[in-house]
Amino acid sequence: MQVSARGDYAVRAAVALASAHPDTVSAQTLADEQSLPHKFLEAVLADLRRAGLVRSVRGADGGYRLAHSPTTTTVGAILRAVDGPLAGVRGQRPEDVTYGGAAAHLPDLWIAVRAAVRNVLDEVTLAQVASGKLPARVRRLVTAPDAWEPR
């Protein structure tokens, strides 16, 4: 799985909003706190707003806030809102690809990859990331002996 800059910025902004929940935070404050380009962040926040994940508030105390509780909003939802499906094969959903011959069963692998990604991103909430209290299953993945080793 590759996380795009747009996805990374969206998750970072959403986690910052989770930390401030239920208060509003200006886009400029989010950009400064996370060292994000302000214009790009505004576009990302607009995507999150259209997806119903954040709300914009006008006025002197305006800014952005999460539309739902950070304890129920998952990282997977944020990533889907800005980047689309979590796993794709050549721009298609894994269940839509077909191969012949020796590769006929490869879609099963792509489906398994998507399921594995979902098992992490759809289980971890913004509140858990903000607090550093990831679910035990995710912590085990992070602490696996080779987890931090590049391949």
Side-chain angles (χ1 to χ4, degrees):
M1 173 185 181
Q2 182 73 21
V3 177
S4 71
R6 188 175 202 83
D8 178 56
Y9 292 178
V11 172
R12 289 164 59 190
V15 169
L17 291 174
S19 292
H21 187 74
D23 296 334
T24 60
V25 181
S26 73
Q28 188 63 55
T29 299
L30 290 170
D32 291 345
E33 176 188 314
Q34 292 298 316
S35 301
L36 303 174
H38 184 263
K39 283 283 194 195
F40 193 19
L41 177 61
E42 285 280 0
V44 167
L45 289 168
D47 287 344
L48 294 175
R49 185 179 47 76
R50 279 189 292 278
L53 295 169
V54 300
R55 291 196 176 119
S56 58
V57 178
R58 297 184 187 268
D61 293 327
Y64 293 88
R65 64 182 171 87
L66 291 177
H68 308 284
S69 170
T71 62
T72 60
T73 305
T74 66
V75 173
I78 300 297
L79 288 173
R80 282 186 192 91
V82 298
D83 282 340
L86 295 177
V89 179
R90 296 178 288 121
Q92 298 179 49
R93 293 181 179 273
E95 66 272 15
D96 294 336
V97 298
T98 56
Y99 306 105
H105 299 287
L106 193 52
D108 294 345
L109 178 63
W110 301 149
I111 295 291
V113 168
R114 179 176 65 186
V117 170
R118 284 178 175 173
N119 280 337
V120 173
L121 297 179
D122 288 342
E123 297 294 323
V124 177
T125 67
L126 297 177
Q128 290 169 321
V129 176
S131 69
K133 296 178 181 172
L134 298 174
R137 183 171 62 186
V138 175
R139 280 195 322 270
R140 280 192 299 277
L141 292 170
V142 171
T143 59
D146 63 344
W148 294 82
E149 297 296 322
R151 290 190 194 173

